[in-house]
Amino acid sequence: MGEQSSEPHKSDVRPLKIALLGCGVVGTEVVRLLVTHQADFAARVGVPLELAGIAVRRAGRRRDVPVDPDLFTTDAAALVRRGDIDLVIEVIGGIEPARSLILAALENGASVVTANKALLAEDGATLFAAAEKHGADLYYEASVGGAIPLIRPLRESLAGDRVRRVLGIVNGTTNFVLDRMDTEGTGFSEALEEAQELGYAEADPTADVEGFDAAAKAAILAGLAFHTRVLASDVHREGITEVTAIDIESARAMGCVVKLLAIAELSADGSGVGVRVHPAMIPRDHPLASVREAYNAVFVESAAAGQLMFYGAGAGGAPTASAVLGDLVTVARNRVQSARGAAASTYAQLEVHPMGETLTRYHISLAVDDRAGVLASVAAAFSRQGVSIQTVRQEGRGEDAQLVVVTHQAADRALAATVNDLEELDSVREVTSVMRVEGLGDK
Amino acid sequence: MGEQSSEPHKSDVRPLKIALLGCGVVGTEVVRLLVTHQADFAARVGVPLELAGIAVRRAGRRRDVPVDPDLFTTDAAALVRRGDIDLVIEVIGGIEPARSLILAALENGASVVTANKALLAEDGATLFAAAEKHGADLYYEASVGGAIPLIRPLRESLAGDRVRRVLGIVNGTTNFVLDRMDTEGTGFSEALEEAQELGYAEADPTADVEGFDAAAKAAILAGLAFHTRVLASDVHREGITEVTAIDIESARAMGCVVKLLAIAELSADGSGVGVRVHPAMIPRDHPLASVREAYNAVFVESAAAGQLMFYGAGAGGAPTASAVLGDLVTVARNRVQSARGAAASTYAQLEVHPMGETLTRYHISLAVDDRAGVLASVAAAFSRQGVSIQTVRQEGRGEDAQLVVVTHQAADRALAATVNDLEELDSVREVTSVMRVEGLGDK
């Protein structure tokens, strides 16, 4: 790739040509940074990078990007097939046409950088197979945790270690909502409205608040951590719409805070993995508890490294563009030396265990009759399902009598069955709060 | 290593041969993990890894490692020159013989993984030039922050971004000592003794408490963040031996905690970098403030990504081995496909500014006479040096009268000169505490 001796960006060096698919919030920022720091990119890659085309949905729209307007095209399919494109950046999102465009790009020998979590978690295998077949790179740091380096540390830095558990706050919208509920005592709807006003939540917040976004990211993280193919549909998913002010208050009473966690963990015998997204209480002194507002963080427990945490802005145009461009530099360098980065590693092919078999622990608040024998009947309901109680405490008297139970670890199925049984007990007037507890250790 | 077909480690695949230099705490753990997870390494690299020799200082010592005793040799120089070695792991530490051995390994075409911060910060340029010349990889994730992925994120993930500042807690011993001083109110000597009893500090703690260890790491981080060659000797260094219980108490009074920080930052005009290690007060709500005991964390501010933090165990056999083996997998994969990872990037060659020119802010406590005109004379001392005061408050009366001053940002030289001037003032009985303040923003 060039005959030069010392300086990499002489005029006789062929630049690498980039096609950008999508020019929304992230794409605009990618263009701005590519143009502004052109010389830095050339120095870091070894050859100049040239923006050769930008595919957009609608032509003629006024765009605030400092490039030749002739670069814009509405024909993305023709752009990726042009034959002279070395690198393709996909920031359209969604399944189609993103998938077809990425596949066409790989077939044409281009390396691809994508931020598309939904596509990777639904059909990553097809994309990775195509990259493998055509000897191209497929990088996706921006798909999880925005600017936070996560993919690369999991795929490369921890490649000599054994990950046991990944616990992540990977959705900024829900973290913002839960943080507001915690700090201001507001209910879910009110906190969501505030998030929408501030631009942290979309007009249709379903993908975020129902946990779909986090589930796609959980699938990607689980696949990397355990060298196993995991789909978004493998992930047990519960959103935050049913989290109440009572739940938040119950968490506070036991020194915890409620977070929407994406969890991927090896089963105790190492035979399978559990992957799940749900709200959970975590102790306030856990490193994840201090992740405020719309920030993201991923906490990793591994055999040799111990506990690691990665923290930063999980979304937004500039942070996502930072991750995209970090990948772009790597795939461009690989291209210069005709090499490829680490391919998808799924050699372990562990079974994904159903949620019912996953070991969890529950925090349960019950409104009960304040009379002798109630505790005995409640305790019996737990023991019938083989669930062991760690602590139980009574709060209030008479009309306000509450029992608060925290269990030891048990199969989630047994815990759920226990809650059903409790609802049937005469002495239990209402199950007022049920939530899993994480970060207390395996007991 | 198995005759099966679809798997990449067929019997006709030549294994990659590894020479391990040093078999202390880290080396022992490296051997244990390599042997225990042999099949995983083969799957992740694509070919088996074979431990071909282990160089130790003393032969015949009983070692708790599960390998053929014939692998041990006291002739490290012969081992790296054997001709069949693909990968060399250097965990001896120190300048010599580590440097000569690494250079010999590279000259013989082997790729090298090292944890040697002192050597990299003193003479990294020679090593990188040799790696470049002989087409080999030189990886060093374990040199800073133990198991925490830092080198790779800075070198690769942020390659498309512009780092503005790196603030790190990169020495576990000093963080443990300062944490104990903060939580238990003990003095420096007492906290250091406790650290020594618990194995967090060495019998001769000089390298840690005087900041030499942190300065080497600061040089490495600064070089990566700013694409510039920085030596340990370029780093302004102050240790924690003069941090007093009064300093810790003063920090607490203003909602801060004292940490030994490694700081690398771009100057305001982008023309140079400042690199320094010294104790500083940081606000208790700063993410670095919650880094307790012997943990490490590095906080990065960059133009597009915003704020990132990386947290984990900064030392110890297993965490360091995790980082070494992550690098080993990468350089082994590169070897399999005859590629090289990113080389050292020093294209920017920014000037390293002297400490006196670096902008800092000071927290200064003064024992003063309690009479009219004192504040005026103190304020005049600041203004003579062109230093602007952000807040000043009086504490105590009469004999116990104290003035506590927090400045705006100013050149460190002007701040130091101000302290000298204050010591000469008749109305100032004693300058009781002087410390820089970080993490308050640039004002």
Side-chain angles (χ1 to χ4, degrees):
Chain A
M1 183 118 294
E3 289 75 11
Q4 79 286 12
S5 51
S6 61
E7 282 304 299
H9 41 110
K10 284 196 192 158
S11 56
D12 60 333
V13 173
R14 190 180 78 79
L16 290 175
K17 292 198 177 178
I18 300 168
L20 174 66
L21 310 181
C23 199
V25 178
V26 177
T28 303
E29 198 61 28
V30 165
V31 173
R32 198 183 63 73
L33 291 168
L34 271 178
V35 172
T36 315
H37 303 312
Q38 213 164 357
D40 280 327
F41 282 103
R44 294 176 191 180
V45 171
V47 304
L49 301 181
E50 181 190 318
L51 202 49
I54 304 173
V56 293
R57 211 154 31 180
R58 278 163 298 185
R61 197 166 147 200
R62 202 184 140 77
R63 289 167 203 283
D64 187 24
V65 286
V67 291
D68 181 349
D70 288 349
L71 290 182
F72 290 98
T73 171
T74 53
D75 192 347
L79 176 60
V80 297
R81 286 187 180 82
R82 238 170 63 172
D84 64 337
I85 301 296
D86 302 287
L87 311 167
V88 171
I89 298 171
E90 185 272 308
V91 286
I92 302 172
I95 307 301
E96 284 296 347
R99 173 167 47 196
S100 306
L101 292 170
I102 290 175
L103 289 172
L106 294 168
E107 278 160 22
N108 280 270
S111 287
V112 174
V113 173
T114 176
N116 196 327
K117 58 194 167 269
L119 175 56
L120 287 164
E122 179 168 314
D123 199 14
T126 304
L127 305 183
F128 289 115
E132 194 70 30
K133 183 173 168 196
H134 301 287
D137 275 333
L138 176 62
Y139 272 57
Y140 52 102
E141 182 67 72
S143 65
V144 186
I148 313 170
L150 289 172
I151 308 300
R152 208 178 299 257
L154 281 171
R155 183 153 77 162
E156 301 176 32
S157 307
L158 289 169
D161 204 339
R162 302 203 125 191
V163 176
R164 287 177 178 155
R165 180 182 287 120
V166 178
L167 276 182
I169 295 171
V170 293
N171 180 272
T173 305
T174 48
N175 200 58
F176 183 89
V177 168
L178 293 171
D179 186 34
R180 278 297 192 271
M181 289 174 73
D182 179 52
T183 53
E184 291 170 15
T186 52
F188 169 74
S189 313
E190 201 180 328
L192 177 60
E193 263 174 45
E194 191 186 345
Q196 286 170 321
E197 277 162 24
L198 292 171
Y200 288 122
E202 305 197 30
D204 176 0
T206 311
D208 293 316
V209 298
E210 296 292 1
F212 289 100
D213 174 82
K217 293 166 176 172
I220 294 171
L221 291 175
L224 283 166
F226 303 113
H227 303 271
T228 288
R229 192 157 289 148
V230 180
L231 303 177
S233 54
D234 294 327
V235 180
H236 174 83
R237 179 189 51 75
E238 298 172 31
I240 64 163
T241 54
E242 287 169 29
V243 176
T244 65
I246 292 173
D247 295 327
I248 304 278
E249 201 42 52
S250 303
R252 182 185 301 278
M254 70 174 281
C256 284
V257 60
V258 176
K259 296 289 186 189
L260 181 70
L261 296 183
I263 304 173
E265 60 192 346
L266 208 57
S267 62
D269 64 357
S271 70
V273 295
V275 193
R276 50 197 166 107
V277 167
H278 55 70
M281 297 180 181
I282 54 170
R284 283 192 187 261
D285 62 1
H286 191 285
L288 285 175
S290 58
V291 178
R292 303 288 309 278
E293 306 213 311
Y295 274 92
N296 281 198
V298 173
F299 187 79
V300 178
E301 295 170 32
S302 75
Q307 303 185 333
L308 298 171
M309 191 171 83
F310 305 86
Y311 164 97
T320 308
S322 170
V324 164
L325 291 170
D327 278 354
L328 187 76
V329 169
T330 301
V331 302
R333 279 175 178 158
N334 287 348
R335 177 77 32 159
V336 169
Q337 58 172 332
S338 306
R340 286 187 64 215
S345 169
T346 55
Y347 73 88
Q349 292 293 28
L350 298 173
E351 193 192 336
V352 180
H353 288 167
M355 186 64 192
E357 289 174 23
T358 300
L359 297 182
T360 63
R361 47 197 304 176
Y362 275 30
H363 174 285
I364 305 170
S365 300
L366 308 164
V368 292
D369 293 339
D370 189 7
R371 56 178 166 79
V374 171
L375 180 55
S377 66
V378 165
F382 281 88
S383 87
R384 267 199 302 281
Q385 300 290 346
V387 173
S388 158
I389 291 175
Q390 187 198 26
T391 61
V392 58
R393 80 174 186 272
Q394 177 167 353
E395 287 180 353
R397 299 301 308 256
E399 290 285 292
D400 297 323
Q402 288 262 342
L403 279 184
V404 179
V405 180
V406 179
T407 73
H408 280 295
Q409 276 200 340
D412 199 77
R413 173 180 298 137
L415 288 160
T418 304
V419 173
N420 280 337
D421 292 355
L422 290 170
E423 281 168 345
E424 301 302 313
L425 285 186
D426 286 345
S427 54
V428 171
R429 283 178 288 154
E430 194 191 348
V431 177
T432 49
S433 170
V434 179
M435 195 167 285
R436 297 184 187 91
V437 186
E438 297 290 335
L440 285 185
D442 303 335
K443 273 286 163 286
Chain B
M1 182 127 289
E3 284 77 12
Q4 74 279 34
S5 56
S6 65
E7 288 301 302
H9 39 109
K10 287 187 193 168
S11 58
D12 60 336
V13 173
R14 191 180 77 79
L16 289 175
K17 293 199 177 177
I18 300 168
L20 174 64
L21 311 181
C23 199
V25 178
V26 176
T28 304
E29 198 61 27
V30 165
V31 174
R32 197 184 64 72
L33 292 167
L34 271 177
V35 172
T36 315
H37 304 311
Q38 211 163 0
D40 280 329
F41 281 103
R44 294 175 190 180
V45 171
V47 305
L49 300 181
E50 181 190 319
L51 201 48
I54 304 173
V56 294
R57 209 154 30 177
R58 276 163 301 185
R61 198 165 146 199
R62 201 183 141 78
R63 290 167 203 283
D64 187 24
V65 286
V67 291
D68 181 350
D70 287 348
L71 290 182
F72 290 98
T73 170
T74 52
D75 192 348
L79 176 59
V80 298
R81 287 188 177 82
R82 238 170 63 173
D84 64 337
I85 300 295
D86 301 289
L87 311 167
V88 171
I89 298 171
E90 185 272 307
V91 286
I92 303 173
I95 306 301
E96 284 296 348
R99 173 167 47 197
S100 305
L101 293 170
I102 291 175
L103 288 173
L106 294 168
E107 276 160 24
N108 279 270
S111 287
V112 174
V113 173
T114 177
N116 196 328
K117 58 194 168 268
L119 176 55
L120 287 164
E122 179 167 315
D123 199 15
T126 303
L127 306 182
F128 290 114
E132 193 70 30
K133 182 173 169 195
H134 301 287
D137 274 334
L138 175 63
Y139 273 56
Y140 52 102
E141 183 67 71
S143 65
V144 186
I148 314 168
L150 288 172
I151 308 299
R152 211 178 298 258
L154 281 171
R155 184 154 75 163
E156 300 177 32
S157 308
L158 289 170
D161 203 341
R162 301 203 127 192
V163 176
R164 286 177 179 157
R165 179 182 288 119
V166 178
L167 275 183
I169 295 171
V170 294
N171 179 273
T173 305
T174 48
N175 200 58
F176 182 90
V177 168
L178 292 172
D179 187 32
R180 277 297 192 274
M181 289 175 73
D182 179 52
T183 54
E184 290 170 15
T186 52
F188 168 76
S189 311
E190 202 180 329
L192 177 61
E193 263 173 44
E194 190 186 347
Q196 285 171 321
E197 275 161 27
L198 292 169
Y200 288 122
E202 306 197 29
D204 175 0
T206 312
D208 293 317
V209 299
E210 296 291 2
F212 289 100
D213 175 81
K217 293 166 175 171
I220 295 171
L221 291 175
L224 283 165
F226 302 112
H227 303 271
T228 288
R229 192 156 292 149
V230 180
L231 303 176
S233 54
D234 294 327
V235 180
H236 174 84
R237 178 188 53 74
E238 299 172 29
I240 64 163
T241 53
E242 287 170 26
V243 176
T244 64
I246 293 173
D247 296 327
I248 304 277
E249 200 41 53
S250 303
R252 182 185 301 278
M254 69 173 282
C256 284
V257 59
V258 175
K259 296 289 188 188
L260 182 69
L261 297 182
I263 304 172
E265 62 193 344
L266 207 57
S267 61
D269 64 357
S271 70
V273 295
V275 192
R276 50 198 166 108
V277 167
H278 56 70
M281 298 181 180
I282 53 169
R284 284 193 186 261
D285 62 0
H286 191 285
L288 285 175
S290 59
V291 177
R292 303 287 310 277
E293 306 213 309
Y295 275 91
N296 282 196
V298 173
F299 187 78
V300 178
E301 296 171 32
S302 75
Q307 303 185 334
L308 299 171
M309 191 172 82
F310 305 87
Y311 164 97
T320 308
S322 170
V324 164
L325 291 169
D327 278 354
L328 188 76
V329 168
T330 301
V331 300
R333 279 175 178 159
N334 287 347
R335 177 76 32 158
V336 169
Q337 59 172 330
S338 306
R340 287 187 64 215
S345 169
T346 55
Y347 73 88
Q349 292 293 30
L350 298 173
E351 193 193 334
V352 180
H353 287 166
M355 186 64 192
E357 289 174 23
T358 301
L359 296 182
T360 62
R361 47 198 303 176
Y362 274 30
H363 175 285
I364 304 169
S365 300
L366 306 165
V368 293
D369 294 338
D370 189 8
R371 57 178 166 78
V374 171
L375 180 55
S377 66
V378 166
F382 282 87
S383 87
R384 265 197 303 280
Q385 298 291 347
V387 173
S388 156
I389 292 175
Q390 188 197 27
T391 60
V392 58
R393 79 174 185 272
Q394 178 168 352
E395 288 180 352
R397 299 302 309 257
E399 289 286 292
D400 298 323
Q402 287 262 343
L403 278 184
V404 180
V405 179
V406 179
T407 73
H408 282 294
Q409 275 199 341
D412 199 77
R413 173 179 298 137
L415 289 159
T418 304
V419 173
N420 280 337
D421 291 354
L422 289 169
E423 281 167 346
E424 302 301 313
L425 284 186
D426 286 343
S427 53
V428 172
R429 280 178 290 155
E430 195 191 349
V431 177
T432 50
S433 170
V434 178
M435 196 169 284
R436 297 184 187 92
V437 186
E438 296 291 334
L440 285 184
D442 304 334
K443 274 286 164 285

